[in-house]
């Protein structure tokens, strides 16, 4: 490259960087719509609907298949003090299985006035249970915890995913 074209290349590269930065700082209306928090209706626990029943095929001839029940429980959100926000709202979710499974992935989300505001996920291997939590700075309004579990009973098995179950709502001043 000759010396007389370098300034042009530098200016073109600088212009491209500025355009990319502007695109990040000033999102388009399409990008804004994609990141908006839609309201969600969560399945309500309490009717026995928060139990996943899984069947593991028998590994020996003549043996009965194993039935495993996994209960997904979202906690009612509660206020905590200290931590990353100096206090706020926290949601917990647990999965408890009746027999050992290969993998449990538990997803937990906190909903503020019907819209998801935070999310966390944890995975446990060779486990009976798993727990995940998520936190959000306290604001006046209604909070609800949502929980979903994905269970894989054996290595190479097909994972089964629950609906998203919702806790009771709590209103905070």
């Amino acid at each position: 490259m000759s010396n007389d074209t370098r300034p042009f290349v530098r200016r073109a590269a600088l212009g491209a960087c500025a355009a990319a930065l502007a695109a990040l700082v000033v999102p388009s209306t399409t990008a804004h719509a994609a990141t908006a928090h839609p309201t969600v209706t969560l399945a309500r626990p309490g009717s026995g609907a928060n139990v996943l029943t899984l069947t593991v095929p028998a590994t020996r001839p003549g043996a009965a298949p194993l039935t495993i029940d996994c209960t997904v429980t979202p906690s009612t959100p509660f206020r905590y003090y200290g931590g990353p926000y100096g206090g706020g709202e926290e949601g917990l979710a647990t999965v408890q299985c009746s027999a050992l499974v290969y993998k449990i992935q538990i997803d937990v989300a906190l909903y503020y006035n019907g819209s998801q505001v935070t999310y966390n996920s944890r995975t446990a291997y060779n486990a009976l249970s798993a727990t995940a939590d998520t936190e959000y700075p306290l604001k006046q309004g209604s909070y609800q915890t949502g929980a979903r579990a994905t269970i894989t009973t054996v290595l190479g098995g097909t994972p089964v995913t629950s609906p998203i179950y919702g806790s009771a709502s709590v209103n905070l001043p």
Side-chain angles (χ1 to χ4, degrees):
M1 183 180 309
S2 69
N3 286 339
D4 59 344
T5 58
R6 286 188 184 153
F8 173 75
V9 171
R10 284 189 194 124
R11 282 191 302 251
L14 182 59
C17 287
L21 182 59
L24 290 174
V25 174
V26 182
S28 68
T29 56
T30 305
H32 179 68
T35 59
H37 298 292
T39 57
V40 114
T41 302
L42 306 174
R44 299 275 191 253
S47 63
N50 60 336
V51 176
L52 289 178
T53 300
L54 310 163
T55 303
V56 180
T59 56
R60 291 179 276 164
L66 175 64
T67 299
I68 301 173
D69 290 330
C70 295
T71 305
V72 182
T73 308
S75 72
T76 301
F78 59 92
R79 190 168 181 180
Y80 73 91
Y81 299 91
Y85 303 111
E89 195 63 24
E90 184 170 2
L92 294 171
T94 59
V95 175
Q96 182 69 45
C97 294
S98 61
L100 206 61
V101 294
Y102 169 70
K103 178 180 169 183
I104 300 172
Q105 178 182 325
I106 180 75
D107 304 321
V108 61
L110 201 56
Y111 295 84
Y112 169 70
N113 291 338
S115 295
Q116 181 181 328
V117 291
T118 185
Y119 169 88
N120 193 18
S121 181
R122 292 274 162 81
T123 302
Y125 291 91
N126 197 30
L128 287 169
S129 65
T131 301
D133 73 318
T134 190
E135 300 169 342
Y136 187 70
L138 184 63
K139 292 182 185 178
Q140 180 180 355
S142 174
Y143 290 88
Q144 187 177 19
T145 303
R148 176 180 64 192
T150 301
I151 313 291
T152 306
T153 55
V154 295
L155 176 63
T158 303
V160 176
T161 301
S162 75
I164 301 173
Y165 298 112
S167 70
S169 295
V170 64
N171 288 309
L172 295 174

